Amino acid sequence: MHAFPAPPLGRKRCPLGQRGHGTVLEAGQLLQAVDITEVSAGTECDMETLQPSFHTCQCRNRARFPARHSAKESVEPQPLSLVFLLGMGMASERINCPSRCSCQYLEVNCTGQQLQEFPAAIPLDTRQLILAANNISYLPAVELSFLADLVYLDCRKNLLGDDLDFTFIGVAKLVYLDLSFNNLTQVTFSTFSHLLSLVVLKISDNPNLVAIEKDAFANNTWLRHLDVSRTGLKFLDTSTVRDLPNLRFLGLSDNLWHCNCSFLDFITWMTESNVLFPDADNITCYTPEGLRALKMPAVETQLHFNCLTRLYKQDYIFLCLIGFCIFFAGTVAAWLAGVCAVVYAVHTSKGEEEEEEEEEEEDDTVT
């Protein structure tokens, strides 16, 4: 009895930006212990597109053998040690998977499970965590910090509020973060300042989000995709987004923008930058009434005219105050000058009188 000789397997890696595991043994090869952490020649992968810039390649283990074997042909059995190790690995994966969640290689998916709290017992090597469509109102910073290798976190459609400062302090490798469809009220410097590798940030569809601090994204220099559409924002400081060197995508549609003279600088930056603004037809002014529903490029000309050529009531008040101050200062200066002149004249006349008296006394002494 002899087995078919097993030619060596050629190793190759998945394409850039993908991860894979598993092996396909071609016909005529013996099933043998292989390194399942790499992809061998003949591997077939199922591609799941997560985001335009993020892909995961999941490879299926299959082995093909000759359709028929002669009486003298046999297949060498797979080593028991490999079977034992694989069985233990799958068993441990099932044990470590959080309740009501599904787990795959480096991924935990808890979508739509009506979870009230952050799930417990998440494997520490998790790279992708999906908590979408639940009722989670709080993300514990300590539990998150255990997931030091986490790069993808999807928390859309939950009840997260305004207590997110320092929440992500332990997940510095995070690249993708989705907090859309929640109850955020503000974004401060402490909210995302520790996410130095962040590339995609989605905080859209938070109707109570009314404030983003000027330096909120100062540390997120790799940020490329930012979406703040459909929130309660009325104003966004230009430096907040202008100082992001890698920003290429900025969602601003369906917000309550207040298009006044303070907002003119931001509108000018929009027209001059190379950033892509999706759904640009819905980036319109909400107030004041005269500019409502006007698109940003169109309103720029109107604001230039209103802010740079027209004088408003407060401008006239300012000019009146300036005029009054100038008049008052001039009056005081004239009064001081008059006082000084009078004092000088009095002092001079007294000096002359004293000299005359001294001359008279000298004349009397001589005579």
Side-chain angles (χ1 to χ4, degrees):
M1 302 290 289
H2 70 279
F4 291 101
L9 295 176
R11 297 294 184 185
K12 67 177 182 180
R13 297 183 180 274
C14 274
L16 182 63
Q18 302 177 359
R19 299 188 299 274
H21 63 93
T23 301
V24 175
L25 298 179
E26 302 295 345
Q29 297 179 1
L30 296 179
L31 186 62
Q32 57 181 321
V34 293
D35 182 6
I36 64 172
T37 63
E38 295 183 0
V39 178
S40 302
T43 300
E44 296 181 358
C45 296
D46 292 330
M47 179 68 68
E48 179 186 1
T49 302
L50 302 176
Q51 286 296 329
S53 300
F54 303 91
H55 303 287
T56 301
C57 183
Q58 299 173 349
C59 305
R60 297 176 290 186
N61 292 331
R62 300 192 307 173
R64 303 194 199 96
F65 296 91
R68 297 180 181 177
H69 296 277
S70 63
K72 294 183 179 181
E73 295 171 351
S74 64
V75 179
E76 181 179 319
Q78 188 172 356
L80 292 178
S81 60
L82 177 62
V83 175
F84 176 76
L85 291 175
L86 291 178
M88 290 296 293
M90 291 186 291
S92 63
E93 184 176 352
R94 286 194 297 268
I95 293 173
N96 292 334
C97 190
S99 175
R100 298 160 64 183
C101 301
S102 62
C103 297
Q104 298 180 14
Y105 180 67
L106 302 179
E107 175 188 316
V108 176
N109 192 334
C110 306
T111 302
Q113 297 301 313
Q114 302 301 314
L115 298 178
Q116 303 291 328
E117 297 180 350
F118 188 80
I122 297 177
L124 299 184
D125 61 348
T126 299
R127 300 286 183 87
Q128 180 174 321
L129 178 59
I130 304 176
L131 303 174
N134 286 288
N135 297 317
I136 300 173
S137 59
Y138 175 70
L139 292 177
V142 175
E143 283 82 348
L144 270 178
S145 65
F146 293 149
L147 308 177
D149 293 327
L150 194 66
V151 297
Y152 184 104
L153 179 59
D154 184 351
C155 296
R156 68 183 187 276
K157 296 184 179 179
N158 277 280
L159 303 176
L160 299 174
D162 57 347
D163 52 350
L164 293 180
D165 286 359
F166 303 102
T167 297
F168 307 104
I169 191 172
V171 285
K173 295 181 181 179
L174 203 63
V175 173
Y176 179 98
L177 177 60
D178 191 344
L179 297 173
S180 57
F181 295 94
N182 278 279
N183 294 325
L184 303 183
T185 59
Q186 63 177 351
V187 176
T188 68
F189 174 77
S190 302
T191 307
F192 305 119
S193 60
H194 299 88
L195 301 179
L196 305 181
S197 302
L198 194 62
V199 174
V200 176
L201 175 61
K202 296 183 178 182
I203 51 178
S204 63
D205 298 281
N206 282 275
N208 297 321
L209 179 60
V210 296
I212 296 180
E213 286 188 0
K214 180 178 179 180
D215 57 349
F217 309 122
N219 287 355
N220 310 122
T221 55
W222 287 104
L223 195 61
R224 186 179 183 89
H225 178 122
L226 175 62
D227 193 355
V228 295
S229 302
R230 296 173 296 280
T231 67
L233 287 176
K234 296 182 179 180
F235 177 79
L236 187 63
D237 194 275
T238 310
S239 62
T240 305
V241 290
R242 182 183 57 199
D243 296 338
L244 297 174
N246 295 294
L247 188 64
R248 296 295 179 270
F249 180 105
L250 179 58
L252 300 170
S253 60
D254 296 307
N255 285 319
L256 308 178
W257 300 119
H258 181 53
C259 299
N260 57 1
C261 295
S262 300
F263 202 59
L264 178 60
D265 187 36
F266 184 83
I267 299 175
T268 303
W269 172 83
M270 287 180 59
T271 58
E272 296 176 353
S273 69
N274 295 322
V275 176
L276 174 64
F277 300 95
D279 200 13
D281 290 340
N282 289 325
I283 305 177
T284 59
C285 297
Y286 186 76
T287 54
E289 186 67 29
L291 301 178
R292 177 169 294 185
L294 284 180
K295 299 178 183 178
M296 290 299 181
V299 81
E300 181 184 10
T301 304
Q302 184 69 24
L303 285 178
H304 269 291
F305 175 77
N306 292 342
C307 300
L308 303 180
T309 61
R310 289 182 56 183
L311 294 178
Y312 291 93
K313 182 179 180 180
Q314 57 268 26
D315 298 321
Y316 288 109
I317 294 175
F318 176 76
L319 291 176
C320 290
L321 288 175
I322 292 296
F324 175 77
C325 291
I326 293 175
F327 173 77
F328 180 76
T331 302
V332 171
W335 179 78
L336 290 175
V339 170
C340 292
V342 171
V343 171
Y344 177 76
V346 170
H347 180 73
T348 303
S349 61
K350 286 184 177 180
E352 292 177 351
E353 291 177 356
E354 290 177 355
E355 290 179 357
E356 291 178 356
E357 290 178 356
E358 290 177 357
E359 291 178 356
E360 290 178 356
E361 291 177 356
E362 291 178 356
D363 293 339
D364 293 339
T365 304
V366 172
T367 54

